[in-house]
Amino acid sequence: MPKRVVPEERRRRRRPTKSGRVLSETLIVETALRLLREHGGAGLTARRLGLALDCDPSTLYRYFRGMDELTLAIGDALIGRALHGWRPTGRWRADLRAVGLRIHAAYVSHPQAAVLTASRVSGRANELAADEAVLDVLRTAGFPLPETVRVYHAFIDTTLAFAALDAASLALPGAARRADEEMWRSTYARLPAATHPRIAESAPLLATRMVTSAYPTALDMLLESAGNVLAQGVSSGSGRLR
């Protein structure tokens, strides 16, 4: 049976831990992010988190029903960081590009956490705020509702997919990551044109591009495609262009 979650205001009135800190959801999430950065996903356990917070592990269940709920809160915190300070300008492409790049950057800045959370749906406050913001940008720009949902779906899944992909690479041990990057120079760049003509002619560019994220390019292509759809709607009198 799930443990009852005590409201935040009641938790804050509890006695501090031995080290003098008063526990909160925010403190627990921030500590969990540090443990993930230092020890990876396998290192995030209630026992290790309790030690880091100087409290009994069972105390954590007054804040989260289990480690899975904490995982969702971590993902929501990353989205919150992405949205912090962002304000819509009324230019829909620039606004969506800014939101996408912010979300991607927030996840890859904590790659171990991103690997755990990028594929999850939390339904928490920051996630809902991000969804509302993206949908509002699209509707305000004049996208019909079906196109709004279609573009939103592609936008958010592309953003999170690249976040997960790029984070997984960054979460690799340093030697493995360097070996993957070197492969473009040590193997691809040495393939003869006689057997692999397209790779051979592209090798210098591949060695440069393939060690960086393709997300900005994919995002620009997605927004350009969405803009074409909106422009077609405007020309047929079914919408307005911004």
Side-chain angles (χ1 to χ4, degrees), residues 25-26 29-30 33 64 68-84 103 106-107 113-114 116-131 160:
E25 283 195 11
T26 299
V29 168
E30 292 296 326
L33 281 169
F64 300 99
D68 189 64
E69 187 175 52
L70 173 58
T71 298
L72 297 179
I74 291 170
D76 194 60
L78 294 180
I79 296 175
R81 292 183 178 192
L83 291 180
H84 182 71
I103 292 174
Y107 274 96
L116 288 179
T117 64
S119 63
R120 304 298 303 276
V121 181
S122 74
R124 296 174 72 94
N126 292 317
E127 180 182 277
L128 295 175
D131 292 344
L160 293 177

Side-chain angles (χ1 to χ4, degrees), residues 216-232:
T217 300
L219 177 59
D220 287 341
M221 293 171 69
L222 188 155
L223 295 177
E224 182 178 0
S225 176
N228 291 336
V229 170
L230 183 58
Q232 291 170 7

Side-chain angles (χ1 to χ4, degrees), residues 54-77:
D54 197 23
C55 70
D56 190 280
S58 64
T59 305
L60 302 174
Y61 295 103
R62 295 173 182 161
Y63 299 81
F64 300 99
R65 292 183 176 86
M67 294 303 290
D68 189 64
E69 187 175 52
L70 173 58
T71 298
L72 297 179
I74 291 170
D76 194 60

Side-chain angles (χ1 to χ4, degrees), residues 169 172 174-185 210-211:
S169 177
L172 288 172
R177 188 170 66 252
R178 289 190 294 272
D180 283 357
E181 293 176 354
E182 179 60 26
M183 192 66 66
W184 294 103
R185 292 180 289 271
M210 298 305 292
V211 296

Side-chain angles (χ1 to χ4, degrees), residues 99-217:
V99 170
L101 292 175
R102 280 168 167 263
I103 292 174
H104 180 267
Y107 274 96
V108 298
S109 67
H110 292 276
Q112 295 83 3
V115 170
L116 288 179
T117 64
S119 63
R120 304 298 303 276
V121 181
S122 74
R124 296 174 72 94
N126 292 317
E127 180 182 277
L128 295 175
D131 292 344
E132 178 70 15
V134 172
L135 291 167
D136 185 62
V137 166
L138 292 168
R139 288 294 278 158
T140 301
F143 284 87
L145 186 56
E147 285 300 319
T148 292
V149 173
R150 191 174 76 92
V151 174
Y152 159 80
H153 185 195
F155 170 82
I156 202 66
D157 277 14
T158 297
T159 301
L160 293 177
F162 271 99
L165 176 66
D166 295 338
S169 177
L170 291 171
L172 288 172
R177 188 170 66 252
R178 289 190 294 272
D180 283 357
E181 293 176 354
E182 179 60 26
M183 192 66 66
W184 294 103
R185 292 180 289 271
S186 64
T187 298
Y188 280 76
R190 297 178 182 176
L191 291 172
T195 57
H196 298 82
R198 298 310 181 195
I199 293 179
E201 71 175 356
S202 306
L205 293 174
L206 289 172
T208 301
R209 297 281 303 191
M210 298 305 292
V211 296
T212 64
S213 175
Y215 176 64
T217 300

